[in-house]
Amino acid sequence: MDMTDGAMTVDDVEVASGYLDVEKLRRDFPILAERVHDRRIVYLDSAATSLTPRPVIDAISKYYETTHANVHRGVYATAEEATRLYEEARIKVGRFIGATRPGEEVVFTKNATEALNLIASSWGHANLKENDVVVLTEMEHHSNIVPWIMLSEELGIELRYVPIDGSGRLDLSNFDEFCDGAKLVCVSAMSNVLGTINPITEMSKVAHDHGALVVVDGAQSVPHLPVDIQELGADFLAFSGHKMMGPTGIGVLWANATILEAMPPFLGGGGMILDVKPEKFLPADPPDRFEAGTPPIAEAVGLAAAVDYLQSIGMGQIRSHERSLTAFALESIGEKLGDDCRIFGPPAGDDRGGVMSFSYRDVHAHDIAQVLDQYGVCVRPGHHCAKPLMRKLGVAATARASIALYNSEDDINVLIEGLVEAGRLFANA
Amino acid sequence: MADLEELYREIILDHYRSPRNRGELPVPPAHRVEGFNPLCGDEVVVTLIVNDDTVSDIKIGGTGCSISQASASLMSSAVKGKPVDEVRGLIHTFKSMMSVHQSTLGDADEDGRQIEPGPEDPELVDSDALGELAALQGVVKFPVRIKCATLSWNALSQGLDELS
């Protein structure tokens, strides 16, 4: 994939105080030129899905306009080219997260949820039996809880939840005991509600000492932090394309090649077999074994372009920008709204990402979001697919503002302006 | 912010701030129904007593946004002491008001289900019969919030079905 002329280099976009040149970057995102309620869009919902930059849109269009054909087995020129692009995307995505054998270790799925379900269904059925222990945490997204509950109902495995402490971090004081006898530890690298960045490297060491494998939900971390799976020491990593500036409909499962090799197929169908007879089949090697049916080809091409885009800016620079903006947001909200606004999760710092869930006075999250919409501000109200965590926090719902590389201090100021209006409207409520 | 003013009418904010018939009736004699909005995590608990085909008492519990809470409060005031038939008619009229008539879905409710013809012409929403409930009309402009407004009504409807 060629990058279009609009692609930035690090020197172009980095400015003072760790911020990227947002004004310049925003021009890469056509949707930001749209207006809602006669205002500019203040997009603060990147934890749900990120906006799509022009190079990604162009890559997908170009693929459909010049290349589209089904992958594998076609011998004509465009089918060869489609296959090449698809497999090249696999390598690119794998290298992005530091995979040493990307051609074998990267499986394309529908999304992060499907990647986690693949692990539970395939690895889980092959390796877990009654009374085996799977360790989860209280800050997991439903996608890293429900597949394990389903397995627990079916196989009778035991689920243990590592609690969170008052600051919104994992309480790891007894983590060693949690891992005792565990077969698997499943943890989010960054909470989609609290913004907490978890110490995966340390947790992996403890888990491995107890003979447990480690599943990391990277849906929030891979788009916003430099991620190296060698450093994390995890055995599985799941993430989604659409949260990292790529298209919807594609997710990624990375797993250690030896582990993948021993796993049974997930879905059955075309492309995942070596041979089929009326009564039996021989599965293909990974990653094909786990990619039944026509895969998300255009989406893989788009995801590769998204990886190019992120790397052209630099994950370190992106993290630095978002870290500075998170610190600004937490400080400004505290300064201007005081105790009226309760923000969940750790204070700004190394272990805090740009996801900010908050409650404002007694105003319901849904009402906050409704008022903010009139200011063009896109935030998400609700339980954020983390109901166990909501119960732990003692709230039914929160409003969540989440940032990405295209957000600026101006966006946070409009958010605060909208919150003040919500406070006025619901005064004495 | 004209749309907002239309959504958050004073009467809605009043019922949100001071909900009527708040709480739960003891079960039995009351019948208890729960409703959930998985979208936002809101939940409503409707407890009601039906005597001689009349909703003799009703209380509303649970948590939710201003629209769901105000709608539940307005509903409880509107149906308390009313004959079941009349309450069913009101439920139908209210749900018709909340339906997406003008959309491509046609005459369907918030879940896209076809609204069955009620005792009255479904096209004709009688504002007089709705009384204060007409204040919730502004919700239709905000399709995502329709589920908030109908949460308690669906629970009440389910409760009446279970009792009959």
Side-chain angles (χ1 to χ4, degrees), chain A residues 362 364 366-367 370-371 374-375 382-383 396-397 425-429, chain B residues 1 4 7-8 13 16-17 38 40-42 64-66 142 145 148:
Chain A
D362 291 330
H364 191 279
H366 230 135
D367 292 315
Q370 192 82 64
V371 175
Q374 296 292 313
Y375 285 81
H383 51 65
L425 193 65
F426 289 96
N428 309 315
Chain B
M1 305 283 156
L4 269 192
L7 178 66
Y8 296 121
L13 293 175
Y16 177 47
R17 288 169 190 144
C40 56
D42 286 0
C65 67
S66 61
F142 300 83
R145 306 303 294 278
C148 310

Side-chain angles (χ1 to χ4, degrees), chain A residues 220-231:
Chain A
Q220 298 297 335
S221 63
V222 172
H224 299 281
L225 313 172
V227 169
D228 179 353
I229 43 118
Q230 309 306 326
E231 193 185 313

Side-chain angles (χ1 to χ4, degrees), chain A residues 133-137 158 160 162 175 178-179 182 184-187:
Chain A
V133 174
V134 171
V135 176
L136 310 171
T137 87
E158 181 194 337
R160 289 179 190 159
V162 177
F175 186 58
F178 271 93
C179 291
L184 196 67
V185 173
C186 307
V187 57

Side-chain angles (χ1 to χ4, degrees), chain A residues 4-171:
Chain A
T4 63
D5 296 334
M8 303 295 163
T9 66
V10 174
D11 292 341
D12 286 337
V13 291
E14 204 177 358
V15 295
S17 63
Y19 282 137
L20 298 166
D21 184 350
V22 171
E23 279 318 302
K24 197 167 178 184
L25 286 169
R26 286 172 66 89
R27 291 199 283 275
D28 292 339
F29 296 82
I31 206 167
L32 289 173
E34 298 290 315
R35 291 180 74 79
V36 289
H37 308 307
D38 208 26
R39 283 170 168 266
R40 74 177 179 93
I41 293 175
V42 176
Y43 191 76
L44 294 171
D45 199 18
S46 295
T49 194
S50 55
L51 301 179
T52 317
R54 176 59 70 191
V56 172
I57 298 169
D58 287 349
I60 295 168
S61 297
K62 185 179 164 198
Y63 166 76
Y64 275 121
E65 286 169 8
T66 65
T67 314
H68 181 55
N70 213 332
V71 291
H72 304 142
R73 290 176 308 283
V75 294
Y76 52 92
T78 52
E80 292 266 22
E81 178 63 3
T83 304
R84 189 186 68 76
L85 289 173
Y86 182 69
E87 293 303 328
E88 190 181 274
R90 191 192 306 280
I91 305 291
K92 186 164 279 177
V93 170
R95 287 194 179 135
F96 180 62
I97 54 166
T100 47
R101 296 160 70 181
E104 296 151 73
E105 297 179 333
V106 171
V107 177
F108 285 130
T109 61
K110 184 172 71 181
N111 44 36
T113 296
E114 191 182 74
L116 292 164
N117 275 270
L118 193 165
I119 303 166
S121 178
S122 169
W123 186 90
H125 278 110
N127 293 280
L128 297 174
K129 56 182 192 311
E130 196 174 359
N131 297 326
D132 278 349
V133 174
V134 171
V135 176
L136 310 171
T137 87
E138 283 184 343
M139 66 170 77
E140 295 313 303
H141 186 282
H142 291 167
S143 60
N144 205 15
I145 296 177
V146 179
W148 305 110
I149 296 178
M150 288 164 69
L151 211 54
S152 152
E153 286 172 348
E154 188 188 339
L155 302 178
I157 57 171
E158 181 194 337
L159 304 180
R160 289 179 190 159
Y161 287 86
V162 177
I164 57 163
D165 65 18
S167 70
R169 297 181 175 96
L170 289 177
D171 175 0

